[in-house]
Coordinates of all heavy atoms in Angstrom, one line a residue:
M344 N 13.0 -23.1 6.3 CA 11.8 -22.8 5.5 C 11.2 -24.1 4.8 O 11.8 -24.8 4.2 CB 12.1 -21.7 4.4 CG 12.2 -20.3 5.0 SD 10.7 -19.8 5.8 CE 9.8 -19.2 4.3
N345 N 9.9 -24.0 4.9 CA 9.2 -25.2 4.1 C 8.4 -24.6 3.1 O 7.4 -24.0 3.3 CB 8.3 -26.0 5.2 CG 7.8 -27.2 4.5 OD1 7.8 -27.3 3.3 ND2 7.2 -28.1 5.3
A346 N 8.7 -24.8 1.8 CA 8.1 -24.1 0.7 C 6.9 -24.8 0.3 O 6.0 -24.2 -0.4 CB 9.0 -24.1 -0.5
T347 N 6.7 -26.1 0.7 CA 5.5 -26.9 0.2 C 4.3 -26.5 0.9 O 3.2 -26.6 0.3 CB 5.8 -28.4 0.4 OG1 6.2 -28.6 1.6 CG2 6.9 -28.8 -0.7
T348 N 4.4 -26.0 2.1 CA 3.2 -25.7 2.8 C 2.4 -24.5 2.3 O 1.2 -24.3 2.5 CB 3.4 -25.5 4.4 OG1 4.5 -24.5 4.4 CG2 3.9 -26.7 5.1
R349 N 3.2 -23.5 1.6 CA 2.5 -22.3 1.3 C 1.4 -22.4 0.3 O 0.4 -21.7 0.4 CB 3.7 -21.4 0.8 CG 3.6 -20.0 1.3 CD 4.7 -19.2 0.8 NE 4.8 -19.2 -0.6 CZ 4.0 -18.3 -1.3 NH1 3.2 -17.5 -0.8 NH2 4.2 -18.3 -2.7
S350 N 1.7 -23.3 -0.8 CA 0.6 -23.3 -1.8 C -0.8 -23.8 -1.4 O -1.7 -23.4 -1.8 CB 1.1 -24.2 -3.0 OG 1.4 -25.5 -2.4
A351 N -0.7 -24.5 -0.3 CA -1.8 -25.0 0.3 C -2.8 -23.9 1.0 O -4.0 -24.1 1.0 CB -1.6 -26.2 1.2
I352 N -2.1 -22.9 1.4 CA -2.9 -21.9 2.1 C -3.1 -20.6 1.3 O -3.7 -19.7 1.9 CB -2.2 -21.5 3.5 CG1 -0.7 -21.2 3.3 CG2 -2.3 -22.7 4.5 CD1 0.0 -20.8 4.4
D353 N -2.7 -20.7 0.1 CA -3.0 -19.5 -0.8 C -4.4 -19.5 -1.4 O -4.7 -18.6 -2.1 CB -1.9 -19.4 -1.9 CG -0.5 -18.8 -1.4 OD1 -0.6 -18.2 -0.3 OD2 0.4 -19.0 -2.1
G354 N -5.1 -20.6 -1.2 CA -6.3 -20.8 -1.9 C -7.3 -19.8 -1.8 O -8.1 -19.6 -2.8
D355 N -7.5 -19.1 -0.7 CA -8.6 -18.1 -0.5 C -8.2 -16.7 -1.2 O -9.0 -15.8 -1.1 CB -8.9 -18.0 0.9 CG -7.8 -17.7 1.8 OD1 -6.6 -17.8 1.3 OD2 -8.0 -17.3 2.9
L356 N -7.0 -16.6 -1.8 CA -6.7 -15.4 -2.4 C -7.0 -15.6 -3.9 O -6.9 -16.7 -4.4 CB -5.3 -15.0 -2.1 CG -5.0 -14.5 -0.7 CD1 -3.5 -14.4 -0.5 CD2 -5.7 -13.1 -0.5
I357 N -7.0 -14.4 -4.6 CA -7.0 -14.5 -6.1 C -5.8 -15.2 -6.5 O -4.7 -14.7 -6.1 CB -7.2 -13.2 -6.8 CG1 -8.5 -12.5 -6.3 CG2 -7.3 -13.3 -8.3 CD1 -8.6 -11.1 -6.6
E358 N -5.8 -16.2 -7.4 CA -4.6 -17.0 -7.6 C -3.7 -16.5 -8.6 O -2.6 -17.0 -8.8 CB -5.0 -18.5 -7.8 CG -5.5 -19.0 -6.4 CD -5.8 -20.5 -6.6 OE1 -5.1 -21.2 -7.4 OE2 -6.7 -21.0 -6.0
N359 N -4.1 -15.7 -9.5 CA -3.3 -15.3 -10.6 C -2.3 -14.2 -10.4 O -1.9 -13.5 -11.3 CB -4.2 -14.8 -11.9 CG -5.2 -13.8 -11.6 OD1 -5.2 -13.3 -10.4 ND2 -6.0 -13.6 -12.5
Y360 N -1.9 -14.0 -9.1 CA -0.9 -13.0 -8.8 C 0.5 -13.5 -9.2 O 1.4 -12.7 -9.2 CB -0.8 -12.9 -7.3 CG -2.0 -12.2 -6.7 CD1 -2.2 -12.1 -5.4 CD2 -2.9 -11.3 -7.5 CE1 -3.4 -11.4 -4.9 CE2 -3.9 -10.7 -7.1 CZ -4.2 -10.7 -5.8 OH -5.2 -10.0 -5.3
V361 N 0.5 -14.7 -9.7 CA 1.8 -15.1 -10.3 C 2.1 -14.3 -11.5 O 3.3 -14.2 -12.0 CB 1.7 -16.6 -10.8 CG1 1.8 -17.5 -9.5 CG2 0.5 -16.8 -11.7
N362 N 1.1 -13.5 -12.0 CA 1.3 -12.6 -13.2 C 2.0 -11.3 -12.8 O 2.2 -10.5 -13.7 CB 0.0 -12.4 -13.9 CG -0.6 -13.6 -14.5 OD1 0.2 -14.5 -14.9 ND2 -1.9 -13.7 -14.7
I363 N 2.2 -11.0 -11.6 CA 2.7 -9.9 -11.1 C 4.3 -10.0 -11.0 O 4.8 -10.9 -10.4 CB 2.1 -9.4 -9.7 CG1 0.5 -9.1 -10.1 CG2 2.8 -8.3 -9.2 CD1 -0.3 -8.7 -8.9
T364 N 4.9 -9.0 -11.5 CA 6.4 -8.9 -11.4 C 6.8 -7.6 -10.8 O 6.0 -6.6 -10.8 CB 7.0 -9.0 -12.8 OG1 6.5 -8.1 -13.7 CG2 6.7 -10.5 -13.4
D365 N 8.0 -7.5 -10.3 CA 8.4 -6.3 -9.9 C 9.2 -5.4 -10.9 O 9.9 -4.4 -10.5 CB 9.3 -6.4 -8.6 CG 10.4 -7.4 -8.7 OD1 10.7 -7.8 -10.0 OD2 11.2 -7.6 -7.7
Y366 N 9.1 -5.8 -12.1 CA 9.7 -5.0 -13.2 C 8.6 -5.0 -14.3 O 7.8 -5.9 -14.4 CB 11.0 -5.6 -13.7 CG 10.9 -7.1 -13.9 CD1 10.5 -7.6 -15.2 CD2 11.1 -8.0 -12.8 CE1 10.4 -9.0 -15.4 CE2 11.0 -9.4 -13.1 CZ 10.7 -9.8 -14.3 OH 10.6 -11.2 -14.6
K367 N 8.8 -4.1 -15.2 CA 7.8 -4.0 -16.3 C 8.1 -5.0 -17.4 O 9.3 -5.2 -17.7 CB 7.8 -2.6 -16.9 CG 6.5 -2.1 -17.5 CD 6.7 -0.6 -18.0 CE 5.4 0.1 -17.7 NZ 5.6 1.5 -18.1
T368 N 7.2 -5.7 -17.9 CA 7.3 -6.7 -19.0 C 6.4 -6.2 -20.1 O 5.4 -5.4 -20.0 CB 7.0 -8.0 -18.6 OG1 5.7 -8.2 -18.3 CG2 7.9 -8.4 -17.3
N369 N 6.5 -6.9 -21.2 CA 5.5 -6.7 -22.3 C 4.0 -6.9 -21.8 O 3.1 -6.2 -22.3 CB 5.8 -7.7 -23.3 CG 6.9 -7.2 -24.4 OD1 7.3 -6.0 -24.3 ND2 7.5 -8.1 -25.1
L370 N 3.8 -7.9 -21.0 CA 2.5 -8.1 -20.5 C 2.1 -7.3 -19.3 O 1.1 -6.9 -19.2 CB 2.4 -9.7 -20.1 CG 2.0 -10.7 -21.0 CD1 2.1 -12.1 -20.5 CD2 0.6 -10.4 -21.6
N371 N 3.1 -7.1 -18.4 CA 2.8 -6.4 -17.2 C 3.1 -4.9 -17.4 O 4.2 -4.5 -17.2 CB 3.6 -7.0 -16.1 CG 3.3 -8.5 -15.8 OD1 2.4 -9.0 -16.4 ND2 3.9 -9.1 -14.8
Q372 N 2.1 -4.2 -17.7 CA 2.2 -2.8 -17.9 C 1.4 -2.0 -16.9 O 1.6 -0.6 -17.0 CB 1.6 -2.4 -19.3 CG 2.3 -3.2 -20.5 CD 3.5 -2.4 -20.9 OE1 3.8 -1.3 -20.6 NE2 4.4 -3.1 -21.7
H373 N 0.8 -2.5 -16.0 CA -0.1 -1.8 -15.1 C 0.7 -1.6 -13.7 O 0.9 -2.7 -13.2 CB -1.5 -2.3 -14.9 CG -2.1 -2.4 -16.3 ND1 -2.9 -1.4 -16.8 CD2 -2.2 -3.3 -17.2 CE1 -3.4 -1.7 -18.0 NE2 -3.0 -2.9 -18.2
Q374 N 0.8 -0.5 -13.2 CA 1.4 -0.2 -11.8 C 0.4 -0.7 -10.8 O -0.8 -0.3 -10.8 CB 2.0 1.1 -11.7 CG 3.0 1.4 -12.6 CD 3.6 2.9 -12.3 OE1 3.1 3.4 -11.3 NE2 4.6 3.4 -12.9
I375 N 0.9 -1.5 -9.9 CA 0.2 -1.8 -8.7 C 1.0 -1.9 -7.5 O 2.2 -2.3 -7.6 CB -0.6 -3.2 -8.9 CG1 -1.6 -3.5 -7.8 CG2 0.4 -4.4 -9.1 CD1 -2.9 -3.0 -8.2
N376 N 0.5 -1.3 -6.4 CA 1.3 -1.2 -5.2 C 0.9 -2.3 -4.3 O -0.4 -2.7 -4.1 CB 1.1 0.0 -4.4 CG 1.7 1.2 -5.2 OD1 1.1 1.9 -6.0 ND2 3.0 1.4 -5.0
C377 N 1.8 -2.9 -3.6 CA 1.5 -4.0 -2.6 C 0.7 -3.3 -1.6 O 0.9 -2.1 -1.0 CB 2.9 -4.4 -1.9 SG 2.6 -5.4 -0.4
G378 N -0.5 -3.9 -1.1 CA -1.3 -3.4 -0.1 C -0.8 -3.2 1.3 O -1.3 -2.5 2.1
D379 N 0.4 -3.8 1.5 CA 1.0 -3.8 2.8 C 2.1 -2.9 2.9 O 2.2 -1.9 3.6 CB 1.3 -5.2 3.3 CG 1.5 -5.4 4.7 OD1 0.7 -4.8 5.4 OD2 2.4 -6.1 5.2
C380 N 3.2 -3.1 2.0 CA 4.5 -2.4 2.1 C 4.4 -1.3 1.0 O 5.3 -0.5 1.0 CB 5.6 -3.3 2.0 SG 5.8 -4.1 0.4
A381 N 3.4 -1.3 0.1 CA 3.3 -0.3 -0.9 C 4.4 -0.2 -1.9 O 4.6 0.7 -2.7 CB 3.2 1.2 -0.2
K382 N 5.2 -1.3 -2.0 CA 6.2 -1.5 -3.1 C 5.5 -1.6 -4.4 O 4.4 -2.2 -4.4 CB 7.1 -2.8 -2.7 CG 8.3 -2.8 -3.6 CD 9.1 -4.1 -3.1 CE 10.1 -4.5 -4.1 NZ 10.7 -5.8 -3.9
L383 N 6.2 -1.1 -5.3 CA 5.7 -1.0 -6.7 C 5.9 -2.3 -7.5 O 7.0 -2.8 -7.6 CB 6.3 0.2 -7.4 CG 5.6 0.5 -8.8 CD1 4.2 0.8 -8.6 CD2 6.4 1.6 -9.5
F384 N 4.8 -2.8 -8.1 CA 4.8 -4.0 -8.8 C 4.1 -3.7 -10.2 O 3.4 -2.7 -10.4 CB 4.3 -5.2 -8.2 CG 5.1 -5.7 -7.0 CD1 4.9 -5.1 -5.8 CD2 6.0 -6.6 -7.3 CE1 5.7 -5.6 -4.8 CE2 6.9 -7.1 -6.2 CZ 6.7 -6.6 -4.9
Y385 N 4.3 -4.7 -11.2 CA 3.5 -4.5 -12.5 C 2.7 -5.7 -12.6 O 3.2 -6.8 -12.5 CB 4.6 -4.3 -13.6 CG 5.3 -3.1 -13.4 CD1 6.5 -3.0 -12.7 CD2 4.8 -1.9 -14.1 CE1 7.2 -1.8 -12.6 CE2 5.6 -0.7 -13.9 CZ 6.7 -0.7 -13.2 OH 7.4 0.5 -13.0
A386 N 1.5 -5.4 -13.2 CA 0.5 -6.5 -13.4 C 0.1 -6.6 -14.8 O 0.0 -5.4 -15.4 CB -0.6 -6.4 -12.5
D387 N -0.3 -7.7 -15.3 CA -1.0 -7.7 -16.5 C -2.4 -7.2 -16.5 O -3.0 -6.9 -15.4 CB -0.9 -9.1 -17.2 CG -1.8 -10.1 -16.5 OD1 -2.6 -9.8 -15.8 OD2 -1.5 -11.3 -16.8
T388 N -3.1 -7.0 -17.7 CA -4.4 -6.3 -17.7 C -5.5 -7.1 -16.9 O -6.2 -6.5 -16.1 CB -4.9 -6.2 -19.1 OG1 -3.9 -5.4 -19.9 CG2 -6.2 -5.3 -19.2
A389 N -5.6 -8.4 -17.0 CA -6.5 -9.2 -16.4 C -6.3 -9.0 -14.8 O -7.3 -8.9 -14.0 CB -6.5 -10.6 -16.9
T390 N -5.1 -9.3 -14.4 CA -4.8 -9.2 -12.9 C -5.1 -7.8 -12.3 O -5.7 -7.7 -11.4 CB -3.4 -9.6 -12.7 OG1 -3.1 -10.9 -13.4 CG2 -3.1 -9.7 -11.3
Y391 N -4.7 -6.8 -13.2 CA -4.9 -5.4 -12.7 C -6.3 -5.1 -12.6 O -6.7 -4.5 -11.6 CB -4.2 -4.5 -13.7 CG -4.3 -3.0 -13.4 CD1 -3.7 -2.4 -12.4 CD2 -5.3 -2.3 -14.1 CE1 -3.8 -1.2 -12.1 CE2 -5.4 -0.9 -13.8 CZ -4.7 -0.4 -12.8 OH -4.8 1.0 -12.5
E392 N -7.1 -5.5 -13.6 CA -8.5 -5.2 -13.5 C -9.2 -5.9 -12.4 O -10.2 -5.4 -11.7 CB -9.2 -5.6 -14.9 CG -8.9 -4.5 -15.9 CD -9.5 -5.0 -17.3 OE1 -10.1 -6.2 -17.4 OE2 -9.4 -4.2 -18.2
G393 N -8.8 -7.0 -12.1 CA -9.4 -7.9 -11.0 C -9.1 -7.1 -9.6 O -10.0 -7.1 -8.8
I394 N -7.9 -6.6 -9.5 CA -7.6 -5.9 -8.3 C -8.4 -4.6 -8.2 O -8.9 -4.2 -7.1 CB -6.0 -5.7 -8.3 CG1 -5.4 -7.1 -8.1 CG2 -5.7 -4.8 -7.1 CD1 -3.9 -6.9 -8.2
V395 N -8.5 -3.8 -9.3 CA -9.1 -2.6 -9.3 C -10.6 -2.9 -9.0 O -11.2 -2.1 -8.2 CB -9.0 -2.0 -10.7 CG1 -10.0 -0.8 -10.9 CG2 -7.6 -1.5 -10.9
R396 N -11.1 -3.9 -9.6 CA -12.6 -4.2 -9.3 C -12.8 -4.4 -7.8 O -13.7 -4.0 -7.1 CB -13.0 -5.4 -10.1 CG -14.5 -5.4 -10.5 CD -14.8 -6.4 -11.5 NE -13.9 -6.4 -12.7 CZ -13.4 -7.6 -13.2 NH1 -13.5 -8.7 -12.6 NH2 -12.6 -7.4 -14.3
A397 N -11.9 -5.2 -7.2 CA -11.9 -5.5 -5.7 C -11.9 -4.2 -4.9 O -12.7 -4.0 -3.9 CB -10.9 -6.4 -5.3
I398 N -11.0 -3.3 -5.3 CA -10.9 -2.0 -4.6 C -12.2 -1.2 -4.8 O -12.6 -0.5 -3.9 CB -9.6 -1.3 -5.1 CG1 -8.4 -2.0 -4.8 CG2 -9.6 0.2 -4.6 CD1 -7.1 -1.5 -5.4
E399 N -12.7 -1.2 -6.0 CA -14.0 -0.5 -6.2 C -15.1 -0.9 -5.4 O -16.1 -0.1 -5.0 CB -14.3 -0.5 -7.8 CG -13.5 0.5 -8.6 CD -13.7 0.4 -10.0 OE1 -14.4 -0.6 -10.4 OE2 -13.2 1.2 -10.8
Q400 N -15.1 -2.2 -5.1 CA -16.2 -2.8 -4.4 C -15.9 -2.6 -2.9 O -16.7 -3.0 -2.0 CB -16.2 -4.4 -4.6 CG -16.8 -4.7 -6.0 CD -16.7 -6.1 -6.4 OE1 -16.0 -6.9 -5.6 NE2 -17.1 -6.5 -7.5
G401 N -15.0 -1.7 -2.5 CA -14.8 -1.3 -1.2 C -13.9 -2.2 -0.4 O -13.7 -2.0 0.9
L402 N -13.3 -3.2 -1.0 CA -12.3 -4.0 -0.3 C -11.0 -3.3 -0.2 O -10.7 -2.4 -1.1 CB -12.1 -5.3 -1.0 CG -13.4 -6.2 -1.2 CD1 -13.0 -7.3 -2.2 CD2 -13.8 -6.8 0.0
D403 N -10.2 -3.5 0.7 CA -8.9 -3.1 0.7 C -8.1 -3.7 -0.4 O -8.4 -4.7 -1.0 CB -8.1 -3.4 2.0 CG -8.6 -2.5 3.2 OD1 -9.1 -1.5 2.8 OD2 -8.3 -2.9 4.3
N404 N -7.0 -3.0 -0.9 CA -6.2 -3.5 -1.9 C -5.7 -5.0 -1.6 O -5.2 -5.2 -0.6 CB -4.9 -2.7 -1.9 CG -3.9 -3.3 -3.0 OD1 -4.1 -4.2 -3.7 ND2 -3.0 -2.4 -3.3
P405 N -6.3 -5.9 -2.3 CA -6.1 -7.4 -2.1 C -4.7 -7.9 -2.4 O -4.4 -9.0 -2.2 CB -7.2 -7.9 -2.8 CG -7.4 -7.1 -4.1 CD -7.0 -5.7 -3.6
F406 N -4.0 -7.0 -3.1 CA -2.6 -7.5 -3.6 C -1.7 -7.4 -2.5 O -1.5 -6.3 -2.0 CB -2.2 -6.8 -4.8 CG -0.8 -7.1 -5.2 CD1 -0.3 -8.3 -5.4 CD2 0.2 -6.0 -5.1 CE1 0.9 -8.7 -5.8 CE2 1.5 -6.3 -5.5 CZ 1.9 -7.6 -5.7
M407 N -1.0 -8.5 -2.2 CA 0.2 -8.4 -1.3 C 1.3 -9.0 -1.9 O 1.2 -10.1 -2.6 CB -0.2 -9.2 0.0 CG 0.0 -8.4 1.2 SD -0.2 -9.5 2.6 CE -1.9 -9.1 3.2
C408 N 2.4 -8.4 -1.8 CA 3.7 -9.0 -2.6 C 4.1 -10.2 -1.8 O 3.7 -10.5 -0.7 CB 4.8 -7.9 -2.7 SG 5.6 -7.7 -1.1
E409 N 5.0 -10.9 -2.5 CA 5.4 -12.2 -2.0 C 6.0 -12.1 -0.6 O 5.8 -12.8 0.3 CB 6.5 -12.8 -3.0 CG 6.9 -14.2 -2.8 CD 5.8 -15.1 -3.3 OE1 4.6 -14.7 -3.7 OE2 6.2 -16.4 -3.5
D410 N 6.9 -11.0 -0.4 CA 7.5 -10.9 0.8 C 6.5 -10.8 2.0 O 6.6 -11.4 3.0 CB 8.4 -9.7 0.8 CG 9.7 -9.9 0.1 OD1 9.9 -11.1 -0.2 OD2 10.5 -8.9 -0.2
C411 N 5.5 -9.8 1.7 CA 4.5 -9.5 2.7 C 3.6 -10.8 2.9 O 3.2 -11.0 4.1 CB 3.7 -8.5 2.3 SG 4.6 -6.8 2.4
R412 N 3.3 -11.5 1.9 CA 2.5 -12.7 2.0 C 3.2 -13.7 2.9 O 2.6 -14.4 3.8 CB 2.1 -13.2 0.7 CG 0.7 -12.9 0.4 CD 0.0 -13.9 -0.6 NE 0.7 -13.8 -1.9 CZ 0.5 -14.6 -2.9 NH1 -0.3 -15.6 -2.7 NH2 1.0 -14.4 -4.1
L413 N 4.5 -13.9 2.6 CA 5.2 -14.9 3.4 C 5.2 -14.5 4.9 O 5.0 -15.3 5.8 CB 6.8 -15.0 3.0 CG 6.9 -15.8 1.7 CD1 8.4 -15.6 1.2 CD2 6.7 -17.1 1.9
E414 N 5.3 -13.2 5.2 CA 5.4 -12.7 6.5 C 4.0 -12.9 7.1 O 3.8 -13.3 8.2 CB 5.8 -11.1 6.5 CG 6.8 -10.8 7.6 CD 7.3 -9.4 7.2 OE1 6.6 -8.5 7.8 OE2 8.3 -9.2 6.5
Y415 N 3.0 -12.6 6.4 CA 1.6 -12.7 6.8 C 1.4 -14.2 7.2 O 0.7 -14.4 8.1 CB 0.7 -12.2 5.7 CG -0.7 -12.1 6.1 CD1 -1.2 -11.1 6.8 CD2 -1.6 -13.2 5.8 CE1 -2.6 -11.1 7.2 CE2 -2.9 -13.2 6.1 CZ -3.5 -12.0 6.9 OH -4.8 -12.1 7.2
D416 N 1.7 -15.0 6.3 CA 1.5 -16.5 6.5 C 2.2 -16.9 7.8 O 1.6 -17.7 8.6 CB 2.0 -17.3 5.4 CG 1.2 -17.1 4.1 OD1 0.0 -16.6 4.3 OD2 1.6 -17.6 3.0
E417 N 3.4 -16.4 8.0 CA 4.1 -16.8 9.2 C 3.4 -16.2 10.5 O 3.3 -16.9 11.5 CB 5.6 -16.3 9.1 CG 6.5 -17.3 8.4 CD 7.8 -16.7 8.2 OE1 8.2 -15.8 8.9 OE2 8.4 -17.1 7.1
L418 N 2.8 -15.0 10.3 CA 2.1 -14.4 11.5 C 0.9 -15.3 11.8 O 0.5 -15.6 12.8 CB 1.8 -13.0 11.2 CG 2.8 -12.0 11.2 CD1 2.4 -10.6 11.0 CD2 3.3 -12.0 12.7
A419 N 0.1 -15.6 10.6 CA -1.1 -16.3 10.8 C -1.0 -17.7 11.3 O -1.8 -18.3 12.0 CB -1.8 -16.3 9.5
Y420 N 0.0 -18.4 10.8 CA 0.2 -19.8 11.1 C 1.4 -20.1 12.0 O 1.5 -21.2 12.5 CB 0.3 -20.6 9.8 CG -0.8 -20.5 8.9 CD1 -1.0 -19.5 8.0 CD2 -1.9 -21.4 9.1 CE1 -2.1 -19.4 7.2 CE2 -3.0 -21.2 8.3 CZ -3.1 -20.3 7.3 OH -4.3 -20.2 6.5
G421 N 2.3 -19.1 12.3 CA 3.4 -19.5 13.0 C 3.3 -19.0 14.4 O 4.2 -19.3 15.2
Q422 N 2.5 -18.2 14.8 CA 2.2 -17.7 16.1 C 3.3 -17.9 17.1 O 3.2 -18.8 18.0 CB 0.9 -18.2 16.7 CG -0.3 -18.0 15.9 CD -0.8 -16.5 15.9 OE1 -0.4 -15.7 16.7 NE2 -1.8 -16.2 15.1
R423 N 4.3 -17.1 17.0 CA 5.3 -17.3 18.2 C 5.9 -15.9 18.7 O 5.6 -15.0 18.0 CB 6.5 -18.2 17.7 CG 7.1 -17.6 16.4 CD 8.2 -18.6 16.0 NE 7.7 -19.5 15.0 CZ 8.5 -20.3 14.3 NH1 9.8 -20.3 14.5 NH2 8.1 -21.2 13.4
Ligands
LIG1358 ZN1 4.7 -6.0 0.3

């Protein structure tokens, strides 16, 4: 695995997904499901509102968990 290539291709997604955790914290109180595997995560208010706004604008759930994103990246760039 090459960890350094990933940050370069994350640019077109909302970047503050680092605020999302898979457990509840003082900051992360809002439940959000991964758009792909539907696993439950917790987001802080700003991140949550950004995602809700995107969904309200008719976009699919733009949030993808780390696992799914890694898989997606491999599909998109690894074509094998
Ligand atoms: Zn997922």
Side-chain angles (χ1 to χ4, degrees):
M344 281 297 280
N345 188 344
T347 53
T348 52
R349 226 174 57 78
S350 54
I352 51 183
D353 279 346
D355 52 348
L356 291 167
I357 302 171
E358 286 185 37
N359 51 6
Y360 288 165
V361 289
N362 294 331
I363 292 178
T364 54
D365 57 3
Y366 49 89
K367 208 176 220 178
T368 69
N369 278 344
L370 269 177
N371 296 0
Q372 298 277 343
H373 301 275
Q374 292 186 2
I375 189 91
N376 290 95
C377 170
D379 200 38
C380 69
K382 193 177 160 191
L383 187 61
F384 288 88
Y385 295 91
D387 68 14
T388 303
T390 305
Y391 178 76
E392 280 177 355
I394 290 169
V395 167
R396 215 173 300 132
I398 293 170
E399 277 172 354
Q400 285 167 0
L402 300 171
D403 282 340
N404 183 350
F406 168 62
M407 237 191 256
C408 72
E409 193 80 347
D410 283 352
C411 291
R412 255 206 288 171
L413 281 173
E414 229 170 84
Y415 185 83
D416 287 349
E417 274 170 28
L418 282 179
Y420 296 90
Q422 302 290 348
R423 54 181 96 170

